[in-house]
Amino acid sequence: MRSNRLSMALAFVGLFCIAAAIAAWQAGSVLAYHEGVSLPSDYRYWYHVGSKSISPEAATALGLPAEIFGNTFDAVFANDTALNDLRNNTRPFRDGATFVAPFYKLENPVAGLDANGELLFTAVMMKDSEHFAETGGWGFEAFAPDGTRLSDLRPACISCHQSQAANDQVFSTLNERAVSAVPASDNGVFLPHDYRSLYWRGSKVIRPDAATAIGLPAEIFGNTFDSVYANQEALRALRGESRPFPVGSLFVAEFHQAAYPVDGLAAQGDLAFTAVMLKGAPGTGDDASTGDWKFEAFAPDGTPLTDLRGACISCHAGQSANDYVFSGG
Ligand code: HEC
Ligand code: HEC
């Protein structure tokens, strides 16, 4: 679209200066990554492609160095260019496509529950077919939590990712429902079609024993892999620790079946259901015991699971001190 606008501008000689200015600005943004791969600051607002929990045994079984990848919990994010290319099956990926993969320490707050703990390092792949021509057009870099470049690791990145030549060196594939609008439920709760690009709060693997230990029904929550996303209103309140959450705050908790392709490795399998909480105007909540919140879960095909609403309310009512939300600041 921008290039359309650019060529229209070029048709008018009088607008040539503007076109030149835009071209210079575009060249400037290209130059930014000619200087090397940088760490984008906003990647947790990018599309969350998925997460994995990796034990040392699983790392070894997968041919990953266990001292680096063992006991990690990762997340993979794609920028708009990378996401569009994934969705449209465009290979090679276009210039500007970028993936960011933060690796966290694997935390087990309860036996059988895996969560992402402190950040260990962040791996980045950025496509610039000219500048990184020698490595298939991708620039690789990992960053320590303080931002230091771990450039010594680069040869290892390159040699391992070359195994994915058929997918232009990218391991991740999409695991999402058809991206279509899900109609709002009778209480007005809706599932934003781009909810995986809301701020990623974190993910968890819940095995049946852990579900029971934390008081969740094991037949619903046992062996699930969930991810929680927050919109801007909710995130601002979380960060500022201000409660109650403002009207319009929205949380999404997406639950996949946990899949164990290798012993000790948990990945996201089939989508199970997606739960949403929306903060309504005063007096419009589903039930007095959960303030102004409205709840709904949606099946993978978008059908509202309204029968579950009573359960949502009775469990979330216990979080009154945090305005009925489990996630903390
Ligand atoms: C021994 C193999 C191996 C090495 C070494 C390795 N990676 Fe990866 N990388 C993977 C696997 C496997 C995934 C998929 C992770 C997932 O699905 O959660 C991945 C995922 C990624 C992703 C997300 C996009 C994708 O391909 O799915 C980025 C970005 C990434 N790695 C960058 C790096 C960088 C930078 C380095 C070097 C510091 C590196 N990797 C080293 C195996 C490796
Ligand atoms: C038995 C207790 C229980 C029930 C029933 C329950 N939840 Fe939750 N919910 C939780 C817990 C625990 C978390 C935190 C999950 C995490 O951190 O990964 C949570 C998290 C959420 C979140 C993310 C925001 C937050 O509170 O952290 C949403 C959205 C949500 N639930 C919606 C629902 C909806 C909709 C239903 C009904 C379909 C429901 N929940 C039923 C316990 C419950």
Side-chain angles (χ1 to χ4, degrees):
M1 198 150 123
R2 185 178 285 145
S3 65
N4 270 343
R5 263 195 246 133
L6 194 61
S7 46
M8 277 177 62
L10 278 166
F12 299 94
V13 180
L15 290 178
F16 184 76
C17 292
I18 296 170
I22 293 172
W25 171 76
Q26 284 180 324
S29 59
V30 169
L31 277 176
Y33 54 84
H34 274 172
E35 288 157 14
V37 175
S38 56
L39 178 60
S41 60
D42 59 347
Y43 65 81
R44 279 174 82 150
Y45 299 94
W46 292 9
Y47 181 92
H48 178 224
V49 180
S51 284
K52 283 191 176 63
S53 152
I54 311 178
S55 68
E57 314 80 74
T60 306
L62 291 167
L64 298 168
E67 63 286 6
I68 298 180
F69 291 97
N71 280 321
T72 61
F73 196 112
D74 70 65
V76 173
F77 297 89
N79 74 351
D80 283 348
T81 306
L83 175 60
N84 280 317
D85 289 353
L86 282 173
R87 284 193 176 143
N88 297 323
N89 217 14
T90 303
R91 303 290 185 280
F93 285 87
R94 293 169 296 161
D95 282 0
T98 307
F99 289 95
V100 177
F103 281 77
Y104 301 89
K105 198 170 165 204
L106 172 59
E107 221 165 60
N108 304 109
V110 169
L113 189 138
D114 299 350
N116 50 297
E118 73 176 280
L119 181 66
L120 296 172
F121 60 92
T122 312
V124 183
M125 283 173 74
M126 181 184 275
K127 193 75 182 246
D128 180 337
S129 49
E130 229 173 272
H131 190 64
F132 301 116
E134 278 176 24
T135 48
W138 287 104
F140 291 86
E141 193 72 277
F143 297 85
D146 67 0
T148 309
R149 286 166 194 271
L150 305 171
S151 304
D152 290 354
L153 295 175
R154 226 180 270 157
C157 322
I158 293 162
S159 75
C160 186
H161 277 259
Q162 268 168 357
S163 67
Q164 303 303 303
N167 195 36
D168 192 22
Q169 303 194 54
V170 171
F171 280 93
S172 295
T173 53
L174 277 188
N175 175 5
E176 65 177 3
R177 82 180 76 220
V179 188
S180 57
V182 170
S185 187
D186 58 358
N187 60 354
V189 175
F190 61 98
L191 182 62
H193 75 92
D194 60 346
Y195 69 87
R196 277 186 173 186
S197 299
L198 298 178
Y199 183 84
W200 176 71
R201 285 269 317 152
S203 297
K204 286 190 177 62
V205 181
I206 310 177
R207 296 180 187 75
D209 48 330
T212 306
I214 59 177
L216 296 170
E219 61 286 6
I220 299 179
F221 292 97
N223 280 322
T224 57
F225 199 134
D226 76 86
S227 301
V228 172
Y229 306 91
N231 75 353
Q232 288 293 338
E233 287 84 348
L235 182 61
R236 261 198 297 273
L238 274 177
R239 286 192 171 151
E241 297 195 6
S242 63
R243 304 288 185 277
F245 287 90
V247 176
S249 294
L250 180 135
F251 287 97
V252 176
E254 183 196 61
F255 286 81
H256 285 256
Q257 302 296 341
Y260 305 98
V262 169
D263 271 357
L265 182 127
Q268 289 155 310
D270 290 343
L271 183 64
F273 59 92
T274 315
V276 184
M277 282 175 74
L278 175 66
K279 188 69 181 251
T284 64
D286 284 337
D287 190 272
S289 66
T290 42
D292 301 321
W293 288 100
K294 303 154 184 268
F295 296 83
E296 194 64 286
F298 297 90
D301 68 0
T303 309
L305 303 170
T306 311
D307 289 354
L308 296 176
R309 211 179 280 163
C312 321
I313 293 164
S314 68
C315 191
H316 279 258
Q319 294 300 109
S320 58
N322 193 37
D323 193 20
Y324 312 108
V325 168
F326 280 90
S327 299

